[in-house]
Amino acid sequence: MNDLSGKTVIITGGARGLGAEAARQAVAAGARVVLADVLDEEGAATARELGDAARYQHLDVTGEEDWQRVVAYAREEFGSVDGLVNNAGISTGMFLETESVERFRKVVDINLTGVFIGMKTVIPAMKEAGGGSIVNISSAAGLMGLALTSSYGASKWGVRGLSKLAAVELGTDRIRVNSVHPGMTYTPMTAETGIRQGEGNYPNTPMGRVGEPGEIAGAVVFLLSDTSSYVTGAELAVDGGWTTGPTVKYVMGQ
């Protein structure tokens, strides 16, 4: 159902983790993909794994010239830009009181300003193509107040708001903009926190486990495809129910 045949998609943070899995599923759905990242060796290896439908380009998402080069490359290689997945980002684990101004600015610059520059740069190409789909990866931390995420949480709330603003402005150009809000998901970045895969290893969620990259990527491919042709400005939580509220288990008779 989620057919991406004939579409060209740029995926930032595509070298590994969620970005790489989104690329795999997009290619399987028929897309041509440009993976963009600062992890050049891993990014090039992922592109080789995906074959002729994939290319790799170095991209610092905070740089306007880098973005212009990557978008131009995608058009030259594949003829158009029909989709953009703004997935690149960094995290933090600091209380607001102890977060440094330097670190706060760096996180916001990558996680939010990078999304802004990316959208701004692809809009003309998408208009020329007759429309497109932009999927911005926010977070469960962009749907609720989460301790130890002062810079990260602020940036992800910003991504959520920027996505809605863009959806309103670009709707009549047939450019859809949606945000995806993963909960705790097992990736190379989050593995450093000590989380474990498998049932019962994450009781904070109603489902009792962390997510897998493929589960988030499936939502991304849905939003890139024409199956979601009337979906824009939406916030899709893929979090095992984490943001629905506290997890409380009731036992019959008690």
Side-chain angles (χ1 to χ4, degrees):
M1 293 178 63
N2 297 332
D3 185 13
L4 298 180
S5 297
K7 296 183 185 295
T8 300
V9 181
I10 298 171
I11 301 176
T12 71
R16 62 181 188 174
L18 171 56
E21 183 58 30
R24 292 186 187 99
Q25 291 196 23
V27 168
R32 299 158 302 188
V33 172
V34 176
L35 303 172
D37 210 312
V38 294
L39 302 175
D40 294 333
E41 290 187 11
E42 291 177 77
T46 301
R48 285 194 298 272
E49 170 201 329
L50 296 175
D52 291 341
R55 304 286 189 275
Y56 174 75
Q57 287 285 288
H58 181 90
L59 172 66
D60 174 353
V61 294
T62 66
E64 292 183 73
E65 291 185 0
D66 265 21
W67 267 110
Q68 291 163 1
R69 176 181 49 76
V70 169
V71 171
Y73 176 85
R75 296 177 73 184
E76 290 167 6
E77 286 289 300
F78 296 128
S80 64
V81 177
D82 309 285
L84 168 64
V85 182
N86 277 309
N87 169 69
I90 59 174
S91 187
T92 184
M94 302 290 291
F95 284 111
L96 187 153
E97 185 179 8
T98 54
E99 181 82 86
S100 71
V101 173
E102 180 183 16
R103 176 69 178 177
F104 186 94
R105 285 176 173 156
K106 180 179 180 179
V107 172
V108 171
D109 201 24
I110 293 172
N111 292 5
L112 178 56
T113 307
V115 170
F116 162 74
I117 301 171
M119 288 198 293
K120 179 181 174 65
T121 308
V122 300
I123 287 170
M126 287 188 174
K127 285 183 176 180
E128 184 177 311
S133 175
I134 298 172
V135 182
N136 295 326
I137 306 301
S138 179
S139 169
L143 293 172
M144 63 180 179
L146 195 61
L148 292 169
T149 67
S150 55
S151 56
Y152 180 79
S155 69
K156 293 304 187 178
W157 277 84
V159 169
R160 175 188 180 189
L162 189 62
S163 300
K164 286 189 174 295
L165 180 154
V168 171
E169 292 187 353
L170 300 172
T172 54
D173 293 307
R174 300 182 64 192
I175 299 173
R176 298 182 295 108
V177 187
N178 295 284
S179 57
V180 171
H181 298 257
M184 184 62 77
T185 305
Y186 191 84
T187 67
M189 182 173 72
T190 59
E192 297 173 1
T193 68
I195 66 170
R196 293 183 297 161
Q197 296 168 288
E199 300 292 335
N201 284 325
Y202 201 68
N204 289 3
T205 67
M207 294 186 71
R209 65 174 177 85
V210 300
E212 298 291 338
E215 294 174 307
I216 315 302
V220 171
V221 172
F222 163 71
L223 291 172
L224 288 171
S225 77
D226 292 338
T227 307
S228 60
S229 59
Y230 200 52
V231 180
T232 195
E235 305 161 348
L236 181 52
V238 190
D239 64 356
W242 191 15
T243 55
T244 60
T247 301
V248 179
K249 292 188 181 297
Y250 293 93
V251 179
M252 292 296 292
Q254 294 186 2

